[in-house]
Amino acid sequence: MQTHAAKRVEITIERVMQSRLTDALSAAGVTGYTILPVYGGSGRSGPWSRSGQVSKAGGMVQVVCIIRPDRLDALLESAFAVVERHIGVVCITDCDVLRAERF
Amino acid sequence: MSEVLYLAGENLISPIVLSFALGLIAALARSDLSIPEAAAKALSIYLLFAIGFKGGVSVADHGIDLSLGQSLVAGIVLSAITPLIAFLLLQLLSKMDRLNAAAVAGHYGSISIVTFVAATSVLENRGLSSEGYMVAVAAAMEAPAILSALWLASRDGSGKKMDKELWREIFLNGSIVLLIGSFLIGWITGPKGLAEIDSFIVAPFKGVLCLFLLDMGLLAGRGMKSGRGAVGIGAIAFGILMPIIGSLLGLLCAFLLGLSVGGSMLLMVLSASASYIAVPAAMRVALPEANPSIYLTLSLGVTFPFNLVLGIPLYLTLAQAFIGG
């Protein structure tokens, strides 16, 4: 089956920054993304867990975008402006998609 | 002093405090006991709705006067100036840098609604009433402290410029909207409205509070473990001294406002408590370089247990001694 090269960008960021990030992505023309809850983890700021949290301050989310390679720079620039000062990870991997026109 | 110890002893063996202790011990012992995030949120929504609704009903029942407006102004002023005192005290007692000190100070100007709820429960147990509008004062005290903290942080160029989104998040955060909204519903519907839903918001209230405090204990225990080393002795001393100073400011305001013993105690609790819901979220957005381990450990791991176990009986005794009753 015919597949098309694409980039998968996973941005793990603090929950409080979620709407700012998705707003920035939308402003950069990236309208397709998926938001996943992140249960817990550990990093430079120590371990954390989502269980029992009532404040948005303690949680993380992962925003996943799959885009055409030529749109990667615009996405990263807009995302970096939001995540620069915050805890989080930005990860880019190559992937293949079946329907290129959707990305 | 004996009255404080008696009240503290009585408070210590209440289901509320013991539930908190259970969570704390379970977390420190690394038990796998946990409250799912969605359940914890549901419990907090229930408590906020119930406390707001009952406050509104009380206002509908007793009517309002000038003291409502005066108390709101006093609450806003207390919330705005407490961080300045906290900031100075923190710099005096610890070697904390300016940015972290500003972030911590913001937490101590704002309020802990669960401490407030626990205090109302103690008042109910002792048959003491309070001004129903104290719920609105609690809501009014959430935000000004955040602005003071950001101002303190901005004095050396740190922090983020306030944007429209941040203003919206501070003033329309879920707990403020729910508290004010349920207060208004209670006010509009009055005792008749309460009669319709009291089997839901009155009878189960303390049981739900116990479960929520179990969760708070778990969070506090985990915070103590992960925050070990993040705060020194000076900062821990601050976490105990600052609520006492805040409560005395609250007592002074209550005296000037002519509040009842119950209302005075609640204003003291509001002034003494430290936020762990609204302010941490705002600080993560506006001051991301500030270390959350410091402010969450102090707020949730030091001041919250202190207020719950010793602070509330102390503030009640002081209110009874100085206001009467």
Side-chain angles (χ1 to χ4, degrees):
Chain A
M1 185 175 281
Q2 172 74 48
T3 60
H4 306 272
K7 294 285 183 184
R8 178 185 165 100
V9 182
E10 294 168 359
I11 305 168
T12 308
I13 190 165
E14 293 170 272
R15 196 163 21 153
V16 289
M17 299 305 293
Q18 177 191 312
S19 61
R20 286 176 173 78
L21 177 61
T22 52
D23 286 350
L25 292 178
S26 298
V30 182
T31 52
Y33 51 79
T34 304
I35 301 169
L36 305 171
V38 180
Y39 182 73
S42 183
R44 284 169 58 189
S45 305
W48 58 274
S49 164
R50 209 177 178 93
S51 78
Q53 296 285 348
V54 286
S55 169
K56 282 202 300 182
M60 306 280 283
V61 292
Q62 190 172 71
V63 179
V64 181
C65 323
I66 296 174
I67 53 163
R68 292 197 311 266
D70 60 300
R71 298 179 67 191
L72 181 64
D73 281 346
L75 184 156
L76 292 180
E77 272 169 29
S78 60
F80 189 69
V82 178
V83 305
E84 186 183 2
R85 294 171 61 206
H86 291 267
I87 298 168
V89 177
V90 181
C91 173
I92 304 143
T93 47
D94 292 325
C95 66
D96 290 302
V97 295
L98 294 183
R99 295 172 293 185
E101 72 280 4
R102 297 203 168 210
F103 304 93
Chain B
M1 189 63 193
S2 59
E3 173 71 3
V4 179
L5 291 176
Y6 172 74
L7 278 174
E10 202 179 55
N11 191 39
L12 206 58
I13 53 164
S14 68
I16 292 169
V17 174
L18 289 175
S19 299
F20 178 80
L22 173 62
L24 191 71
I25 292 164
L28 292 175
R30 303 183 68 179
S31 160
D32 64 356
L33 176 64
S34 69
I35 306 273
E37 182 193 16
K41 277 207 165 156
L43 295 174
S44 78
I45 287 170
Y46 171 86
L47 291 173
L48 287 168
F49 183 83
I51 197 80
F53 192 94
K54 286 191 278 186
V57 171
S58 172
V59 168
D61 214 12
H62 299 109
I64 55 164
D65 51 34
L66 194 61
S67 63
L68 167 62
Q70 290 171 333
S71 299
L72 283 173
V73 172
I76 290 167
V77 172
L78 274 172
S79 174
I81 63 165
T82 304
L84 311 182
I85 298 165
F87 183 78
L88 291 175
L89 185 65
L90 204 47
Q91 295 214 310
L92 199 70
L93 293 175
S94 74
K95 289 176 182 163
M96 201 176 288
D97 64 87
R98 189 177 185 88
L99 184 68
N100 279 306
V104 171
H107 287 70
Y108 283 79
S110 189
I111 60 126
S112 150
I113 197 69
V114 184
T115 315
F116 177 81
V117 172
T120 59
S121 180
V122 169
L123 285 180
E124 275 174 26
N125 285 347
R126 301 190 69 81
L128 290 168
S129 62
S130 61
E131 289 77 0
Y133 56 71
M134 291 311 292
V135 174
V137 176
M141 288 178 75
E142 285 250 30
I146 298 172
L147 305 181
S148 296
L150 297 184
W151 177 75
L152 285 167
S154 69
R155 291 181 66 208
D156 68 350
S158 305
K160 179 181 167 178
K161 202 177 158 199
M162 291 284 289
D163 57 29
K164 204 169 77 179
E165 185 65 9
L166 189 55
W167 281 107
R168 191 187 61 75
E169 284 174 4
I170 290 172
F171 287 101
L172 288 178
N173 82 66
S175 55
I176 292 182
V177 170
L178 186 56
L179 207 53
I180 294 292
S182 57
F183 175 80
L184 291 175
I185 294 170
W187 192 358
I188 293 163
T189 59
K192 191 167 166 283
L194 180 64
E196 287 177 28
I197 58 168
D198 65 352
S199 59
F200 176 68
I201 67 163
V202 178
F205 186 80
K206 282 185 187 161
V208 174
L209 182 58
C210 285
L211 284 181
F212 191 73
L213 282 165
L214 174 70
D215 183 45
M216 288 285 106
L218 288 165
L219 288 178
R222 287 191 209 118
M224 281 178 186
K225 272 168 55 190
S226 63
R228 197 179 295 154
V231 293
I233 294 292
I236 292 171
F238 164 86
I240 293 168
L241 262 179
M242 192 57 220
I244 296 171
I245 294 170
S247 73
L248 294 177
L249 288 173
L251 180 63
L252 178 65
C253 283
F255 176 75
L256 295 174
L257 291 166
L259 296 181
S260 66
V261 171
S264 302
M265 187 265 218
L266 290 181
L267 190 59
M268 291 172 79
V269 166
L270 290 174
S271 310
S273 62
S275 170
Y276 47 78
I277 296 178
V279 182
M283 291 302 130
R284 288 312 303 146
V285 174
L287 301 177
E289 290 85 2
N291 185 352
S293 293
I294 298 176
Y295 51 71
L296 284 175
T297 302
L298 283 176
S299 164
L300 200 53
V302 179
T303 300
F304 181 71
F306 169 77
N307 276 334
L308 193 65
V309 177
L310 293 173
I312 289 174
L314 174 67
Y315 310 146
L316 181 57
T317 308
L318 287 173
Q320 285 175 322
F322 287 94
I323 307 290

Coordinates of all heavy atoms in Angstrom, one line a residue, chain B residues 273-311:
Chain B
S273 N -4.4 30.4 56.1 CA -4.2 29.2 55.2 C -3.4 29.6 54.0 O -3.3 30.7 53.6 CB -5.5 28.6 54.9 OG -6.3 29.5 54.2
A274 N -2.9 28.6 53.3 CA -2.1 28.8 52.1 C -2.7 27.9 51.0 O -3.1 26.8 51.2 CB -0.6 28.3 52.4
S275 N -2.7 28.5 49.8 CA -3.4 27.9 48.7 C -2.5 26.7 48.2 O -1.3 26.7 48.2 CB -3.5 28.9 47.6 OG -3.9 28.3 46.4
Y276 N -3.2 25.7 47.6 CA -2.5 24.6 46.9 C -3.2 24.2 45.7 O -2.9 23.2 45.1 CB -2.2 23.4 47.8 CG -3.4 23.0 48.6 CD1 -4.4 22.3 48.0 CD2 -3.6 23.4 49.9 CE1 -5.6 21.9 48.6 CE2 -4.8 23.1 50.6 CZ -5.7 22.3 49.9 OH -6.9 22.0 50.6
I277 N -4.3 25.0 45.3 CA -5.0 24.7 44.1 C -4.8 25.8 43.1 O -4.2 25.7 42.0 CB -6.5 24.4 44.3 CG1 -6.6 23.2 45.2 CG2 -7.2 24.2 43.0 CD1 -8.0 22.8 45.6
A278 N -5.3 27.0 43.4 CA -5.4 28.1 42.4 C -4.0 28.7 42.2 O -3.5 28.9 41.1 CB -6.3 29.2 42.9
V279 N -3.3 29.0 43.3 CA -2.0 29.7 43.2 C -0.9 28.8 42.5 O -0.2 29.3 41.6 CB -1.5 30.3 44.5 CG1 -0.2 31.0 44.4 CG2 -2.6 31.2 45.1
P280 N -0.8 27.5 42.9 CA 0.3 26.8 42.2 C 0.1 26.8 40.7 O 1.0 26.9 39.9 CB 0.1 25.3 42.7 CG -0.5 25.5 44.1 CD -1.4 26.8 43.9
A281 N -1.2 26.7 40.2 CA -1.5 26.7 38.8 C -1.0 28.0 38.2 O -0.4 28.0 37.1 CB -2.9 26.4 38.5
A282 N -1.4 29.1 38.8 CA -1.0 30.4 38.3 C 0.5 30.6 38.3 O 1.1 31.2 37.4 CB -1.7 31.5 39.2
M283 N 1.2 30.1 39.3 CA 2.6 30.2 39.4 C 3.3 29.4 38.3 O 4.4 29.8 37.8 CB 3.2 29.8 40.8 CG 2.8 30.7 41.9 SD 3.4 32.4 41.7 CE 1.9 33.3 42.0
R284 N 2.8 28.2 38.0 CA 3.4 27.4 36.9 C 3.3 28.2 35.6 O 4.2 28.0 34.8 CB 2.6 26.1 36.8 CG 2.9 25.1 37.9 CD 4.4 24.9 38.3 NE 5.2 24.5 37.2 CZ 6.5 24.9 37.0 NH1 7.0 25.7 37.9 NH2 7.2 24.5 36.0
V285 N 2.3 29.0 35.4 CA 2.2 29.7 34.2 C 3.1 31.0 34.2 O 3.8 31.2 33.3 CB 0.7 30.2 33.9 CG1 0.6 31.1 32.7 CG2 -0.2 28.9 33.7
A286 N 2.9 31.7 35.3 CA 3.6 33.0 35.3 C 5.0 33.0 35.8 O 5.8 33.8 35.4 CB 2.8 34.0 36.2
L287 N 5.3 32.1 36.7 CA 6.7 32.0 37.3 C 7.2 30.6 37.1 O 7.5 29.9 38.1 CB 6.7 32.4 38.8 CG 6.3 33.8 39.1 CD1 6.3 34.0 40.6 CD2 7.1 34.9 38.5
P288 N 7.4 30.1 35.9 CA 7.7 28.7 35.8 C 9.1 28.3 36.3 O 9.4 27.1 36.6 CB 7.7 28.4 34.2 CG 7.8 29.8 33.7 CD 7.2 30.7 34.6
E289 N 10.0 29.3 36.5 CA 11.3 29.0 37.1 C 11.3 28.8 38.6 O 12.2 28.3 39.1 CB 12.3 30.2 36.8 CG 12.7 30.3 35.3 CD 11.7 31.1 34.5 OE1 10.7 31.6 35.1 OE2 11.8 31.3 33.3
A290 N 10.2 29.2 39.2 CA 10.1 29.0 40.7 C 9.9 27.5 40.9 O 9.2 26.8 40.1 CB 8.9 29.7 41.2
N291 N 10.5 26.9 41.9 CA 10.4 25.5 42.2 C 9.1 25.1 42.9 O 8.9 25.4 44.0 CB 11.7 25.1 43.1 CG 11.8 23.7 43.3 OD1 10.9 22.9 42.9 ND2 12.9 23.3 43.9
P292 N 8.3 24.3 42.2 CA 7.0 23.9 42.8 C 7.2 23.0 44.0 O 6.4 23.0 44.9 CB 6.3 23.1 41.7 CG 7.3 22.8 40.6 CD 8.4 23.8 40.8
S293 N 8.4 22.3 44.1 CA 8.6 21.5 45.3 C 8.6 22.3 46.6 O 8.2 21.9 47.6 CB 9.9 20.7 45.2 OG 9.9 19.8 44.2
I294 N 9.1 23.6 46.4 CA 9.3 24.4 47.6 C 7.9 24.9 48.0 O 7.4 24.7 49.2 CB 10.2 25.6 47.3 CG1 11.6 25.2 47.0 CG2 10.2 26.6 48.5 CD1 12.6 26.3 46.6
Y295 N 7.1 25.5 47.1 CA 5.9 26.1 47.6 C 4.8 25.0 47.9 O 4.0 25.2 48.8 CB 5.3 27.2 46.6 CG 5.2 26.9 45.1 CD1 4.3 26.1 44.6 CD2 6.1 27.6 44.3 CE1 4.2 25.9 43.2 CE2 6.0 27.4 42.9 CZ 5.0 26.6 42.4 OH 4.9 26.4 41.0
L296 N 4.8 23.9 47.2 CA 3.8 22.9 47.5 C 4.2 22.1 48.8 O 3.3 21.8 49.6 CB 3.7 21.9 46.3 CG 2.9 22.4 45.1 CD1 3.0 21.4 44.0 CD2 1.5 22.7 45.5
T297 N 5.5 21.9 49.0 CA 5.8 21.3 50.3 C 5.4 22.2 51.5 O 4.9 21.7 52.5 CB 7.4 21.0 50.3 OG1 7.7 20.2 49.2 CG2 7.8 20.3 51.6
L298 N 5.7 23.5 51.4 CA 5.4 24.4 52.5 C 3.9 24.5 52.7 O 3.4 24.4 53.8 CB 6.0 25.8 52.2 CG 7.5 25.9 52.5 CD1 8.0 27.3 52.1 CD2 7.8 25.6 53.9
S299 N 3.2 24.7 51.6 CA 1.7 24.9 51.6 C 1.0 23.6 52.1 O 0.2 23.7 53.0 CB 1.2 25.4 50.3 OG -0.1 25.2 50.2
L300 N 1.3 22.5 51.4 CA 0.5 21.3 51.7 C 1.2 20.4 52.7 O 0.5 19.7 53.5 CB 0.5 20.5 50.3 CG -0.6 19.5 50.2 CD1 -2.0 20.0 50.5 CD2 -0.6 18.9 48.7
G301 N 2.5 20.4 52.8 CA 3.2 19.5 53.8 C 3.4 20.1 55.1 O 3.7 19.4 56.1
V302 N 3.4 21.5 55.2 CA 3.7 22.1 56.5 C 2.5 22.9 57.1 O 1.9 22.5 58.1 CB 4.9 23.0 56.5 CG1 5.2 23.7 57.8 CG2 6.2 22.3 56.0
T303 N 2.1 23.9 56.3 CA 1.0 24.8 56.8 C -0.3 24.1 56.9 O -1.1 24.3 57.8 CB 1.0 26.0 55.9 OG1 2.3 26.7 56.0 CG2 -0.1 27.0 56.4
F304 N -0.7 23.3 55.9 CA -2.0 22.7 55.9 C -2.2 21.7 57.1 O -3.2 21.9 57.8 CB -2.3 21.9 54.6 CG -3.6 21.3 54.5 CD1 -4.8 22.0 54.4 CD2 -3.7 19.9 54.6 CE1 -6.0 21.4 54.4 CE2 -4.9 19.2 54.6 CZ -6.1 20.0 54.5
P305 N -1.2 20.8 57.4 CA -1.4 20.0 58.5 C -1.4 20.8 59.8 O -2.1 20.5 60.8 CB -0.2 19.0 58.5 CG 0.3 19.1 57.1 CD -0.1 20.4 56.6
F306 N -0.5 21.8 59.9 CA -0.5 22.6 61.1 C -1.8 23.3 61.4 O -2.3 23.2 62.5 CB 0.6 23.7 60.9 CG 0.5 24.8 62.0 CD1 1.0 24.5 63.3 CD2 -0.1 26.0 61.8 CE1 0.9 25.4 64.3 CE2 -0.2 26.9 62.8 CZ 0.3 26.6 64.1
N307 N -2.4 23.9 60.3 CA -3.7 24.5 60.5 C -4.8 23.5 60.9 O -5.6 23.8 61.7 CB -4.1 25.2 59.2 CG -3.5 26.6 59.1 OD1 -3.2 27.3 60.1 ND2 -3.3 27.1 57.9
L308 N -4.7 22.4 60.2 CA -5.8 21.4 60.5 C -5.8 20.8 61.9 O -6.8 20.7 62.5 CB -5.6 20.2 59.5 CG -6.7 19.2 59.3 CD1 -8.0 19.9 58.8 CD2 -6.4 18.1 58.4
V309 N -4.5 20.6 62.4 CA -4.4 19.9 63.7 C -4.4 21.0 64.8 O -5.1 20.9 65.8 CB -3.2 19.0 63.7 CG1 -3.0 18.4 65.1 CG2 -3.3 17.9 62.7
L310 N -3.5 22.0 64.7 CA -3.3 22.9 65.8 C -3.9 24.3 65.5 O -4.4 25.0 66.4 CB -1.8 23.1 66.1 CG -1.1 21.8 66.7 CD1 0.4 22.1 66.8 CD2 -1.7 21.5 68.1
G311 N -3.8 24.7 64.3 CA -4.2 26.1 64.0 C -5.7 26.4 64.2 O -6.0 27.3 64.9

